[in-house]
Amino acid sequence: MGHVTPPLSIPPPAGAAAHLPVLLEESLAALDVRPGGRYIDATLGGGGHAEAILEHSSPDGMLLALDRDGEAVDAARRRLGRFGSRLVALHRNFSRVEEAAREEGFPQVDGILFDLGFSSLQMDDPARGLSFRADAPLDMRLDRSEGITARQIVNSWSRDDLARLFRDLGEEPQARRIAAAILERRQKAPLETTGQLASLVAEAVGRSGGRIHPATRVFQALRMAVNGELEHLRRALPAATALLRAGGRLVVISFHSLEDRTVKEYIRAMTGRCSCPPHQPVCTCRPRAILSPVGKGTVKPSAEEVRRNRRSRSARLRAAVKLEVAA
Ligand SMILES: C[S@@+](CC[C@H](N)C(=O)[O-])C[C@H]1O[C@@H](n2cnc3c(N)ncnc32)[C@H](O)[C@@H]1O
């Protein structure tokens, strides 16, 4: 990866964290974590990345960590208690990262990490209804104090809207057929549980004999829609950039192609390329370079990491550095 510093040697996380941090060495290298630095972890989760950032920025580095899941914040705060006041952990959506940073005295930082999506702890918690592996109420909200549930979506959206959701966010080839099956089913009784939805999808599309469950893409689409993942990311990227000092790093790990595309397009737009229509003879958009990509394209997990942690297989890391000229 271009001018990323070489991977550091990372000790295994202390405590029994059931969530294995993905691309850990690569994230620390991309963030260029240094003693005394100030960092933001926008997605605290099980605290694996946070722990490594705090260790590598010791003795006096500071970390502001956010998560929209209040239970995750409480658990990570307890697990990382030994770092004392070097860790400030807040229950906050990362779309409000600027406000959080201002409140907590982090006006400029050396690096910001986003490790998007859901932790294994959340996916494996049957009460959240994020996965079809356990039968649970169709909820899927990471922050159960706000927003609509998956139950509301599947039982009230039109067939066209459901089909569009499964196609656009799930990349599900049989989106229309599944949407039609949902409408037929809910005329009899509303869908209430993850098990009911998973069986309905499996019946609608038939078991393909492939390695993934037929409902995987539908569940992925619903999780993203319920939690507004792309909208929050689109809001957070410019806010995060504004918080970086010149030379500071923006690092994003995505697990979904639409998230990765959003990050890629954002970084490209910030590199000062002209965005005028191709037929326009003179540039009028006056692009200003704010970010420069670190490395070429994405960093992917090694075969060894995928073997150790199957969940890492779709992870893609992109990084950018803030340029001097930016105010
Ligand atoms: C993949 S996990 C992060 C794991 C973490 N890096 C670790 O090492 O344990 C993603 C976390 O991001 C949180 N999250 C997702 N969207 C968020 C948002 N818009 N604002 C704040 N947190 C969010 C989830 O609740 C989840 O805990």
Side-chain angles (χ1 to χ4, degrees), residues 197-226:
L197 179 62
S199 325
L200 177 144
V201 174
E203 252 170 58
V205 303
R207 287 206 167 259
S208 60
R211 276 175 7 120
I212 70 160
H213 187 285
T216 302
R217 296 191 186 90
V218 165
F219 272 68
Q220 173 180 283
L222 282 167
R223 283 193 296 266
M224 287 185 73
V226 164

Side-chain angles (χ1 to χ4, degrees), residues 17 19-22 24 41-51 66-70 72-73 79 90-96 113-122 128 142-143 227-229 232-233 236 253 255 311:
H19 177 90
L20 288 177
V22 166
L24 183 58
D41 179 348
T43 50
L44 175 61
H49 286 98
E51 180 174 37
L66 313 179
D67 203 295
R68 69 189 298 189
D69 174 354
V73 174
R79 202 170 82 75
L90 294 187
H91 177 206
R92 194 70 60 89
N93 195 305
F94 59 54
S95 58
R96 292 164 61 201
L113 172 69
F114 291 82
D115 175 19
L116 301 172
F118 310 88
S119 69
S120 317
L121 302 164
Q122 291 164 334
R128 293 178 184 275
L142 288 180
D143 183 343
N227 293 295
E229 292 291 277
H232 293 306
L233 178 62
I253 303 173
F255 293 83
R311 192 185 159 267

Side-chain angles (χ1 to χ4, degrees), residues 148-167:
I148 57 165
T149 63
R151 184 188 179 284
Q152 286 169 294
I153 293 182
V154 295
N155 289 306
S156 69
W157 282 24
S158 71
R159 184 167 55 186
D160 284 351
D161 287 346
L162 285 173
R164 200 171 306 119
L165 168 69
F166 300 150
R167 190 193 58 217

